[in-house]
Each structure stands twice: as structure tokens, then as C-alpha cells.
Amino acid sequence: MTSAKSFEISKHVVLKAYRRVKANRGAAGIDDESIEMFEADLKGNLYRIWNRMSSGSYFPPAVRRVEIPKENGGTRVLGVPTVSDRIAQMVVKLMVEPQLDGLFHPDSYGYRPGKSAKQAIAVTRERCWRYDWVVEFDIQGALERASHYTRVVDCASKRSGRAAGTCILRPFARPRQT
């Protein structure tokens, strides 16, 4: 018998994602719903996320735009997703990260499990004593100019061998800010 859902997403993964989001805490999104408010109908809310994601109909709401002051006097804009969207993002992370992490270069330290900026600095410091040359480059803004959506979806689709990259990751490519 075939499944009625487009994607195999375990309800256990959604529950695990919820627990991680709850542990991270965080502010309410554009809907002003806190973790505590989300928990008032926890079973129904988690089912709704699972149902929409596994059927391919999940689409995240806009993120709340928050300006954070910088030391130099400017501001940095952050997008704060809703609790439901943070859970959905965590579901994607839990499902995709184990498949894709092995594709990265061992010297890639950004946003990787078990990797940190301190480790990157330690490796750099050690190599400075080993080599007489340095390569420096600035990638600020480089990722904004490249198509983030295309890169993520292509990588996920090739790795999974199906169009799951498009259907699962598409909603997360560029969140709307309000």
C-alpha cells in the first residue's frame, strides 16, 4: 500500500523538533504566539505542522522584523519566525543535515554540528606557524548575490535523489518580513 502523504516525515521527528525549539526558547513571531501559548493545543499544533509538511502544503508565515542596534550606531535587521515555523525549520534541519553534512569540506566551520568559531581559529593559528603564506578573502555579500534557493534545493535534491529538496525546502528559501 502506498502512503497518502507526499513526504515521509515521522511524527516523532516533529516532536523532537518541538522539544529542541522549546529548549532554545526565543521570542514570539509575527503572530505573537509564545511557546506557552503554542502548548495550549500542543497535539493539534504539532499534527498541523506534520500534516502540512508531509503533504507538501506547508508554507511559512511572514517573519517579524526586529531591528537590533549595532555598536557603530547602525542597526541590523533580524527576522523572527513563529513558533510553528521554527519547529518546521527544525524538522527540515533534523532530516536534511545528516544527509548533507558529509558533503562539506572538513575545514568548513560555519553552522555545522560539532564545529565552532573557536575550532576554526585554533586551526588557523596552528597553520600560521606551519606555512609562510596566507590566503585571505572577504565573502561578505557573496551569498546574497548567489541564488541561495537554487544552491540549497539543488544540493538537497541531488542528495535525496528526488524532488524533496524543492517541495520541503522551497518555503524556507526567503522568508517574508513584515
Side-chain angles (χ1 to χ4, degrees):
M1 182 173 164
T2 61
S3 173
K5 299 294 184 182
S6 301
F7 303 102
E8 291 183 31
I9 298 174
S10 166
K11 291 178 184 175
H12 296 289
V13 172
V14 177
L15 182 60
K16 184 176 181 179
Y18 156 73
R19 289 179 177 151
R20 290 224 184 147
V21 168
K22 181 178 178 175
N24 289 341
R25 297 182 297 197
I30 195 168
D31 60 359
D32 288 325
E33 183 179 52
S34 66
I35 292 280
E36 292 77 21
M37 293 166 68
F38 182 88
E39 290 174 324
D41 183 21
L42 182 61
K43 187 175 179 181
N45 286 328
L46 293 179
Y47 176 81
R48 192 174 302 110
I49 294 168
W50 169 81
N51 188 40
R52 289 178 181 167
M53 290 187 77
S54 60
S55 68
S57 65
Y58 179 81
F59 193 81
V63 295
R64 188 177 73 187
R65 181 184 172 111
V66 177
E67 292 188 7
I68 305 295
K70 288 184 172 182
E71 289 182 15
N72 66 2
T75 60
R76 181 177 72 155
V77 177
L78 293 178
V80 180
T82 64
V83 172
S84 293
D85 195 36
R86 291 200 313 261
I87 294 168
Q89 290 176 27
M90 185 61 71
V91 168
V92 173
K93 179 185 186 297
L94 292 171
M95 293 182 66
V96 173
E97 187 176 69
Q99 294 178 5
L100 300 183
D101 193 58
L103 301 175
F104 287 90
H105 191 278
D107 284 343
S108 174
Y109 289 87
Y111 304 102
R112 303 259 321 277
K115 301 275 190 163
S116 70
K118 288 181 179 180
Q119 289 173 323
I121 291 169
V123 168
T124 302
R125 180 175 288 131
E126 184 242 314
R127 289 181 183 162
C128 284
W129 290 106
R130 244 194 300 162
Y131 303 106
D132 294 333
W133 49 270
V134 174
V135 176
E136 179 185 2
F137 58 93
D138 184 2
I139 64 166
Q140 184 177 2
L143 298 178
E144 284 80 18
R145 287 190 288 275
S147 172
H148 173 73
Y149 169 75
T150 302
R151 288 183 288 115
V152 170
V153 170
D154 285 352
C155 186
S157 295
K158 287 177 186 172
R159 189 71 179 154
S160 66
R162 57 191 173 107
T166 303
C167 297
I168 292 177
L169 298 174
R170 179 186 63 232
F172 300 103
R174 293 255 182 214
R176 300 178 328 244
Q177 291 189 350
T178 62

